[in-house]
């Protein structure tokens, strides 16, 4: 049968399909509705004339519970099932039999291409999350569908329509998008303590979600009052919103005049919500959030739930920020209190050390001068007072050292050290105390695989504090000190079988001033600083300190330090290494038999001006110095300056901390006046710490001695400073040929000409003796080797004087260099332990006016007295020369260079 063109595509006579009465059967609601449609008035004509393919396709659509639609013919006449009817909302049932392009006119721009492609090219499509604009609820709604379009074939095999299967995924798309926005807001909050910055960051995060938050404004309350202050906005002109308001006023803000567009279709935003920012249970809100509502979405339960979560995120961030700011304010208050405490301890050191000086020095002098001539009872009482005064001095020193560490003024200066030998030696100091207490004392310090780089003074404090603590709290059993290498760390363990420590006390055990209450001990003495110092000193090395303990069983303290590397060869002037390297004492050839300099009046070495605001200290110094000096006194810097200008003294001995013009001010005034510019100044001060000594020498002081001090040391320092001052004005020393060698000198090899190497072991060339200036030969250079003994210093002094004189150096500069070199040699003799060779080698050279003197020993320096940290000899690091100390496995080399290297 020929097809009837009037019936359109697919509407020709074919094999019979379902009867007209059966096409819409099956119990479908849409089936009953379609059965009532006057299909004869539609482009597809009466049901009786439909081709079998259309009838079968309609029955398939109606039977499916998945949303399906069928269009037939060029007019896109549509048929759909119950599930699809729910997707188009109010457009149903009028859409039945209508043109799809008219029913979905607002979304046809997105649907046209895949529909026409399916019908014209017979190509199926699948589009996930397709954005469609629908007006199914009375407004332009943002919706998302996952859609598949396929051609629908007629009885003749030609494409007669389009078959589509679709499902709405709007809820899933919105949920994912809103969840991502909440995450962005949470991340923007972070740990911010500034509320303004926090609000700005939150609004910046909200800017990434304009489809759900067209605009927003953050308002925060102040002092829990009702007023709210606008702190940040997004998506709206801030000037159109009130700067301050309350919650009711914020809710009454008209939205339409704000001129904000929203949603994917750019419709005007006409609604907003006010979200309270909760401050927590039982607390007033911390603010409010004004949020615009998308015009493309109804404010349904899911939208409101999103708003609640958003308000929770912002409120949590604000609460955290305020809590963090409060914590920081409390921390700053504590830090300020700590700084005030540090300042107090630093200042009170003057009040502590001056009385200590006036206690210890007279007692020590009385015991040393009277000796056994004192009655036994008086002698014992003085010794008791001296011991307890020294104990008080140690407590003050510990306290001030801890304060210095806390203030960041102390740094570890690492040198390569045989830590096993040092630890064994240090632990042995307390062996007698442990054995007197009836304890076994085991020291297990096998050699380490390589030297460890530590600060020797700090390591000494660590070991002695831990071992002393073990002796103090152990009554039976024993103590074990063990040193091991574990990987790249050196580990010190001090174990005891003492009383142990309750578990509740362990977390605070290394805190300063912490003491375990009611713990049995041999003595209740102590400040609670010992273990705190151990932790701090270990920390300065990049290490840790920890403890394991059980009451009644004992304790094990463990200190772990990295092996580390020695510090730079030349430490900065403020570091302990530099000062220690230059801590050299200018002794004369024969202490106690010094020749009086020419021109001294009477029996006095000279006139000393003593300046101190403490009357007892002035009286003590006057009594101490009077046998050898003519003493004048002043009670402050201004009086001293007047005295010095009226009658120039030979030396000024001044305190630092004084009312009015202090010691540094007096020093500056003396140096500024031509008549007193070269008067030597020695500072005698209660300010402790290496940084104080360096400050003094940088200011131009000649020597610096902290209180308490030994009277003999003060006298020796004053003599040395006076000799140095007068030596610069003395006549040129006699030529070396006029000198008769001493016994010590005749045993030393003099410089000899270089000789060719013979290849024999130990056959090293020695530089030629220095030629006289003007002979046109190479630059002067010499090497001397002296026994490591005090008797070597006088010949070294004479050799250097002659060498520098022959090299053409000026008298004053040569004097400084000789003094520096002799101090370096004295230190090498006194502090080089276990030398490979008991000699001190001195190399001197002069090149183009630059002098370099190197003093080398073959041992390892080990210090055991605090006097090594008092800055003696730091004057060598002033403008005329640079002094560096380089420790190593073959010994220590102190190098003096003049002038300082450029740069």
């Amino acid at each position: 049968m020929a097809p009837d063109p009037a019936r359109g595509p697919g509407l020709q006579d074919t094999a019979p399909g379902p009867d007209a009465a059966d096409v819409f059967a099956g119990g479908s609601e849409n089936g009953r509705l379609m059965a009532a449609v006057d299909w004869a008035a539609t482009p597809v004509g009466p049901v009786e004339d439909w081709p079998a393919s259309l009838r079968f396709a309609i029955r398939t659509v109606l039977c499916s519970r998945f949303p399906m639609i069928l269009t037939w013919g060029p007019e896109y006449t549509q048929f759909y099932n119950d599930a699809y009817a729910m997707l188009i909302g109010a457009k149903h049932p009028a859409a039945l039999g209508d043109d799809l392009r008219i029913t979905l006119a607002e979304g046809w721009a997105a649907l046209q291409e895949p529909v026409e492609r399916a019908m014209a090219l017979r190509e199926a499509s699948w589009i996930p999350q397709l954005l469609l604009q629908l007006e199914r609820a009375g407004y332009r709604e943002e919706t998302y569908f996952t859609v598949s379009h396929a051609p629908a074939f007629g009885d003749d095999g030609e494409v007669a329509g389009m078959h589509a299967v679709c499902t709405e995924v709007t809820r899933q798309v919105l949920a994912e998008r809103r969840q991502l926005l909440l995450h962005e807001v949470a991340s923007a909050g972070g740990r911010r303590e500034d509320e303004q910055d926090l609000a700005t960051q939150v609004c910046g995060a909200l800017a990434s979600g304009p489809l759900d938050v067209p605009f927003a404004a953050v308002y925060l309350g102040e002092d829990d009052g009702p007023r709210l202050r606008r702190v940040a906005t997004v998506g709206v002109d801030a000037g159109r919103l009130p700067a301050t308001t309350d919650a009711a006023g914020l809710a009454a803000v008209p939205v339409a005049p704000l001129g904000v567009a929203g949603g994917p279709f750019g419709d005007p935003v006409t609604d907003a919500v006010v979200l309270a920012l909760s401050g927590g249970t039982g607390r007033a809100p911390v603010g409010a959030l004004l949020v615009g509502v998308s015009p493309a979405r109804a404010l349904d339960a899911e939208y409101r739930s999103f708003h609640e979560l958003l308000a929770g995120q912002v409120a949590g961030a604000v609460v955290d920020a305020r809590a963090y700011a409060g914590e920081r304010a409390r921390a700053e208050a504590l830090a300020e209190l700590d700084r005030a405490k540090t300042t107090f301890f630093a200042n009170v050191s003057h009040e502590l050390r001056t009385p200590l000086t006036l206690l210890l020095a007279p007692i020590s002098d009385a015991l040393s001068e009277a000796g056994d001539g004192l009655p036994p009872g008086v002698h014992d009482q003085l010794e008791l007072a001296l011991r307890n005064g020294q104990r008080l001095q140690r407590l003050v020193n510990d306290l001030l050292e801890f304060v210095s560490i806390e203030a960041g003024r102390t740094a570890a200066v690492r040198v390569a050290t045989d830590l096993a030998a040092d630890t064994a030696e240090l632990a042995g100091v307390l062996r007698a105390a442990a054995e007197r207490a009836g304890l076994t004392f085991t020291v297990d310090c096998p050699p380490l695989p390589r030297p460890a780089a530590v600060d020797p003074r700090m390591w000494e404090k660590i070991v002695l504090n831990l071992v002393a603590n073990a002796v103090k709290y152990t009554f039976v059993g024993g103590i074990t000190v063990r040193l091991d290498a574990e990987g790249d760390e050196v580990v010190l363990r001090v174990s005891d079988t003492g009383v142990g420590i309750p578990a509740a006390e362990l977390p605070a055990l290394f805190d300063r001033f912490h003491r375990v209450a009611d713990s049995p001990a041999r003595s209740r003495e102590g400040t609670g600083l010992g273990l705190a110092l151990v932790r701090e000193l270990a920390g300065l090395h990049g290490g840790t300190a920890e403890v394991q303990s059980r009451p009644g069983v004992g304790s094990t303290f463990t200190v772990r330090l990295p092996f580390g590397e020695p510090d730079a060869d030349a430490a900065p002037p403020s570091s302990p290494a530099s000062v220690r390297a230059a801590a050299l004492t200018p002794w004369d050839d024969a202490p106690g038999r010094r020749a009086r300099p020419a021109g001294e009046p009477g029996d006095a070495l000279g006139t000393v001006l003593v300046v101190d605001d403490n009357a007892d200290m002035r009286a003590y110094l006057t009594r101490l110095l009077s046998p050898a000096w003519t003493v004048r006194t002043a009670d402050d810097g201004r009086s001293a300056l007047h005295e010095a200008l009226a009658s120039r003294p030979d030396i000024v001995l001044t305190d630092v901390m004084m009312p009015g013009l202090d010691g540094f001010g007096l020093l500056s005034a003396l140096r500024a006046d031509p008549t007193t510019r070269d008067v030597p100044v020695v500072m005698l001060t209660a300010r402790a710490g290496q940084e104080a000594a360096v400050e003094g020498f940088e200011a131009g002081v000649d020597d610096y001695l902290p209180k308490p001090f030994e009277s003999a040391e003060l006298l020796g320092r004053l003599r040395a400073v006076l000799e140095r001052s007068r030596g610069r004005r003395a006549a040129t020393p006699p030529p070396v040929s006029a000198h008769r060698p001493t016994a010590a000198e005749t045993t030393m090899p003099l410089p000899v000409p270089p000789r060719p190497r013979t290849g024999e072991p130990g056959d090293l060339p020695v530089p030629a003796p220095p030629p006289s200036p003007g002979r046109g030969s190479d630059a002067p250079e010499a090497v001397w080797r002296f026994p490591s003994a005090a008797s070597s210093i006088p010949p070294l002094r004479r050799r250097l004087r002659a060498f520098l004189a022959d090299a053409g150096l000026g008298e004053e500069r040569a004097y400084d260099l000789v003094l520096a070199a002799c101090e370096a040699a004295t230190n090498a003799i006194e502090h080089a332990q276990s030398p490979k060779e008991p000699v001190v080698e001195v190399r001197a050279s002069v090149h183009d006016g630059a002098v370099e003197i190197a003093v080398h020993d073959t041992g390892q320096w080990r210090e055991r007295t605090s006097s090594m940290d008092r800055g003696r000899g730091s004057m060598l690091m002033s403008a005329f020369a640079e002094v560096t100390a380089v420790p190593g496995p073959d010994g220590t080399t102190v190098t003096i260079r003049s002038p300082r290297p450029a740069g």
Side-chain angles (χ1 to χ4, degrees):
M1 179 184 297
D4 184 356
R7 294 188 178 186
L11 297 180
Q12 56 271 19
D13 293 332
T14 60
D19 293 338
D22 297 332
V23 172
F24 307 112
S28 166
E29 176 64 23
N30 258 25
R32 287 192 292 271
L33 292 174
M34 283 193 288
V37 173
D38 181 11
W39 293 104
T42 68
V44 296
V47 177
E48 293 79 8
D49 295 337
W50 289 357
S53 55
L54 175 59
R55 296 182 183 186
F56 281 120
I58 291 174
R59 291 197 66 180
T60 301
V61 168
L62 292 177
C63 291
S64 175
R65 295 186 178 182
F66 205 80
M68 298 178 69
I69 182 174
L70 172 70
T71 67
W72 199 266
E75 292 82 8
Y76 293 93
T77 305
Q78 58 188 341
F79 308 86
Y80 53 85
N81 60 8
D82 294 352
Y84 185 85
M86 297 176 63
L87 300 184
I88 61 175
K91 296 177 181 290
H92 173 72
L96 288 171
D98 199 2
D99 192 326
L100 174 66
R101 295 169 294 183
I102 298 174
T103 302
L104 298 181
E106 67 275 17
W108 184 246
L111 293 172
Q112 182 178 4
E113 194 274 336
V115 170
E116 291 181 349
R117 192 176 186 87
M119 296 180 64
L121 301 179
R122 301 188 178 193
E123 290 183 3
S125 64
W126 183 78
I127 306 174
Q129 298 182 358
L130 174 66
L131 170 64
L132 286 181
Q133 174 186 306
L134 293 183
E135 296 181 7
R136 58 186 179 180
Y139 66 95
R140 301 209 303 175
E141 184 181 359
E142 172 191 6
T143 62
Y144 296 89
F145 292 85
T146 295
V147 186
S148 176
H149 299 91
F153 296 98
D155 291 351
D156 58 358
E158 297 296 323
V159 176
M162 181 274 302
H163 192 179
V165 179
C166 59
T167 183
E168 184 172 7
V169 293
T170 303
R171 294 179 63 183
Q172 294 92 313
V173 171
L174 295 182
E176 292 174 2
R177 189 175 72 201
R178 290 167 179 172
Q179 184 66 31
L180 181 60
L181 181 58
L182 290 172
H183 175 74
E184 292 294 325
V185 171
S187 300
R191 284 188 60 85
R192 301 180 186 276
E193 58 183 293
D194 182 83
E195 293 183 359
Q196 181 74 46
D197 179 48
L198 168 67
T200 301
Q201 295 299 323
V202 166
C203 286
L206 290 176
S208 65
L211 295 180
D212 296 300
V213 182
F215 76 89
V218 180
Y219 283 78
L220 297 180
E222 297 180 354
D223 300 327
D224 295 330
R227 300 298 293 176
L228 300 173
R229 174 176 54 90
R230 187 189 70 237
V231 292
T233 61
V234 60
V236 65
D237 182 1
R240 297 190 176 187
L241 294 173
T244 60
T245 183
D246 55 19
L250 194 60
V253 171
V255 177
L258 297 178
V260 178
F265 315 122
D267 296 326
V269 177
T270 59
D271 196 11
V273 295
V274 177
L275 309 172
L277 302 180
S278 173
T281 305
R283 300 184 62 183
V286 297
L289 186 65
L290 179 65
V291 180
V293 176
S294 171
R297 292 302 307 168
L299 191 57
D300 54 16
E302 293 179 350
Y303 207 167
R304 293 183 184 277
S305 176
F306 163 71
H307 284 153
E308 291 174 1
L309 292 173
L310 178 60
Q313 291 281 14
V314 178
V318 172
V319 171
D320 287 347
R322 291 186 172 180
Y324 186 66
E327 286 294 329
R328 193 174 80 109
R330 284 189 290 274
E332 288 178 349
L334 289 174
E336 182 61 32
L337 183 63
D338 200 55
R339 285 191 292 271
K341 177 259 319 174
T342 300
T343 302
F344 165 75
F345 281 133
N347 291 337
V348 83
S349 67
H350 184 277
E351 300 304 322
L352 292 172
R353 287 175 170 267
T354 297
L356 273 175
T357 301
L358 295 174
L359 284 171
L360 296 178
I363 294 174
S364 179
D365 291 347
L367 287 172
S368 61
E369 292 171 5
D372 297 334
L374 292 171
V378 175
H379 188 277
D380 292 344
Q381 289 177 357
L382 289 177
E383 284 194 336
L384 176 63
L386 182 62
R387 283 197 305 273
N388 283 274
Q390 290 169 340
R391 174 173 166 263
L392 179 59
Q393 178 186 348
R394 288 194 298 272
L395 295 179
V396 170
N397 289 340
D398 284 347
L399 184 60
L400 294 177
E401 179 165 6
F402 194 86
V403 169
S404 178
I405 292 173
E406 282 193 326
R409 298 193 299 265
T410 299
V413 180
R414 301 168 179 83
V415 297
T417 306
D418 183 355
L419 210 57
D422 274 11
T423 304
E425 179 183 341
L426 289 167
V429 171
L430 292 172
R431 178 182 295 276
E435 292 176 350
R436 281 198 304 270
L439 305 174
T440 61
F441 193 79
T442 305
V443 178
D444 184 10
C445 298
L448 298 176
R450 64 182 188 273
V454 301
D455 186 309
R457 283 194 318 111
M458 294 184 180
W459 183 252
E460 176 180 330
K461 290 181 181 293
I462 290 173
V463 175
L464 292 182
N465 267 305
L466 292 180
V467 177
N469 240 33
V471 174
K472 182 177 179 179
Y473 291 100
T474 304
F475 295 91
V476 295
I479 298 169
T480 300
V481 180
R482 181 173 180 81
L483 189 74
D484 296 293
E486 296 182 4
D488 198 39
E489 291 182 326
V490 57
V491 182
L492 171 69
R493 291 183 176 88
V494 178
S495 304
D496 63 63
T497 58
V499 297
I501 305 162
E505 300 283 353
L506 292 178
L509 195 63
F510 290 96
D511 292 350
R512 57 182 177 177
F513 308 124
H514 179 80
R515 301 185 70 179
V516 179
D518 302 325
S519 177
R522 298 184 183 277
S523 168
R524 297 305 301 166
E525 297 176 353
T527 60
L529 282 175
L531 293 179
L533 269 176
V534 168
R535 181 176 65 179
E536 294 294 335
L537 295 175
L540 290 175
H541 287 81
T544 60
E546 57 189 29
V547 61
Q548 293 178 330
S549 184
R550 289 176 56 193
V553 176
S555 306
T556 297
F557 288 85
T558 304
V559 174
R560 297 177 180 273
L561 304 183
F563 269 94
E565 295 295 333
D567 288 329
D569 292 345
S574 60
S575 86
S578 300
V579 178
R580 185 180 307 129
L584 313 171
T585 307
W587 299 116
D588 198 359
D589 295 8
R593 296 196 299 272
R594 182 187 306 274
R596 181 184 297 119
E600 285 189 2
D603 294 331
L605 294 173
T607 300
V608 58
L609 175 59
V610 174
V611 191
D612 200 298
D613 59 328
N614 185 285
D616 289 338
M617 180 60 74
R618 292 198 304 273
Y620 171 70
L621 290 173
T622 299
R623 186 170 62 254
L624 176 65
L625 300 176
S626 292
W629 299 81
T630 298
V631 181
R632 303 197 332 249
T633 62
D635 58 3
D636 59 33
R638 294 192 183 280
S639 301
L641 181 60
H642 178 76
E643 284 281 336
L645 294 175
S647 178
R648 172 191 166 103
D650 292 297
I651 193 167
V652 174
L653 177 64
T654 180
D655 191 15
V656 171
M657 300 175 68
M658 295 182 295
L661 190 66
D662 65 6
F664 287 109
L666 173 61
L667 175 65
S668 178
L670 291 173
R671 294 291 184 255
D673 194 289
T675 61
T676 58
R677 180 174 299 160
D678 59 347
V679 172
V681 177
V682 175
M683 283 188 175
L684 186 64
T685 180
R687 294 180 59 194
Q690 200 58 62
E691 71 285 347
V694 173
E695 180 185 2
F697 288 114
E698 288 179 345
V701 74
D702 291 82
D703 207 346
Y704 195 101
L705 183 64
K707 304 173 185 176
F709 54 83
E710 294 289 340
S711 57
E713 183 178 8
L714 173 61
L715 293 172
R717 295 250 196 143
L718 291 177
R719 285 196 300 270
V721 171
L722 183 64
E723 177 189 299
R724 184 170 183 267
S725 174
R726 289 177 172 173
R728 291 176 176 176
R729 301 189 298 270
T732 304
V736 67
S737 58
H739 166 67
R740 177 175 296 176
T742 65
E745 287 179 282
T746 57
T747 62
M748 299 301 111
L750 294 174
V752 296
R755 46 198 170 95
R757 301 192 59 122
T758 61
E760 297 176 7
D763 184 18
L764 298 177
V766 179
S772 299
R775 293 184 180 177
S777 56
D778 294 338
E781 192 168 303
V783 178
W784 300 281
R785 287 166 62 87
F786 295 94
S788 184
S791 59
S792 299
I793 300 303
L796 170 61
R797 177 181 290 110
R798 286 185 284 271
R799 296 287 180 84
L800 276 173
R801 281 177 178 171
F803 171 77
L804 296 175
D806 286 348
L809 262 68
E811 172 192 342
E812 184 172 335
R813 185 180 176 203
Y815 182 90
D816 287 336
L817 289 167
V818 169
L819 183 62
C822 290
E823 289 173 340
T826 300
N827 217 44
I829 292 167
E830 291 179 353
H831 300 287
Q833 305 294 314
S834 304
K836 296 179 181 177
E837 276 189 278
V839 297
V840 174
E841 182 178 275
V842 180
R843 292 177 178 266
S845 61
V846 179
H847 299 279
D848 297 326
V851 181
E852 180 172 301
I853 302 173
V855 180
H856 177 76
D857 61 69
T858 61
Q860 298 295 315
W861 285 17
R862 294 179 188 168
E863 304 166 19
R864 293 292 177 262
T865 63
S866 60
S867 64
M868 287 302 295
D869 298 316
R870 294 180 177 172
R872 293 182 301 178
S874 291
M875 56 195 145
L876 303 180
M877 305 184 73
S878 60
F880 85 88
E882 179 193 59
V883 176
T884 59
V886 182
D890 296 327
T892 301
T893 301
V894 175
T895 304
I896 302 158
R897 297 181 180 89
S898 173
R900 289 175 174 273

